[in-house]
Amino acid sequence: QVQLVESGGGLVQAGGSLRLSCAASGRTFSSYIMGWFRQALGKERELVADISRSGGYTYYADSVKGRFTISRDNAENTVYLQMNSLKPEDTAIYYCAATARSGPWDYWGQGTQVTVSS
């Protein structure tokens, strides 16, 4: 069982930056692929970025490539999402997720709100 707790959301002006953090419980954090999802009002949840167990492989949605960076610290059981050059369309609830294998995501955090004003 893994518990995930996100933090770092807030209100920022367009062009600004935020860094989200997701702290995981348990001693097997390094065995999970980690991801960040987001869900805007009235839209489906979408995968923003994910990162392999070692951190050596990352994936980004086209909409955030070049602006967002996912990273992880396995010693601290934490995954991060650095978000730069934020746009109003990045406004959403951001969720951290974990999966023990490639496929369905097994564990989810409660989400953190990111609001980007124009």
Side-chain angles (χ1 to χ4, degrees):
Q1 193 77 314
V2 176
Q3 290 186 325
L4 304 172
V5 179
E6 302 99 333
S7 61
L11 173 64
V12 64
Q13 288 188 329
S17 299
L18 283 174
R19 188 176 84 152
L20 305 183
S21 299
C22 173
S25 65
R27 294 174 291 179
T28 59
F29 177 73
S30 61
S31 66
Y32 290 92
I33 298 167
M34 300 299 297
W36 285 98
F37 288 76
R38 68 185 181 187
Q39 187 167 21
L41 195 62
K43 295 188 177 181
E44 293 187 354
R45 188 175 298 187
E46 63 172 345
L47 176 64
V48 173
D50 65 27
I51 187 166
S52 62
R53 296 172 182 84
S54 67
Y57 173 81
T58 55
Y59 160 85
Y60 296 96
D62 287 343
S63 58
V64 306
K65 276 182 184 175
R67 301 188 298 121
F68 291 10
T69 303
I70 188 170
S71 61
R72 66 189 295 163
D73 184 338
N74 285 343
E76 296 294 327
N77 285 9
T78 303
V79 62
Y80 303 97
L81 186 68
Q82 178 67 44
M83 305 186 294
N84 298 329
S85 302
L86 283 162
K87 304 175 181 179
E89 51 263 44
D90 294 318
T91 295
I93 299 174
Y94 284 71
Y95 298 90
C96 173
T99 180
R101 64 209 181 282
S102 296
W105 294 84
D106 301 307
Y107 303 103
W108 294 85
Q110 83 288 350
T112 186
Q113 176 71 48
V114 171
T115 303
V116 184
S117 63
S118 57

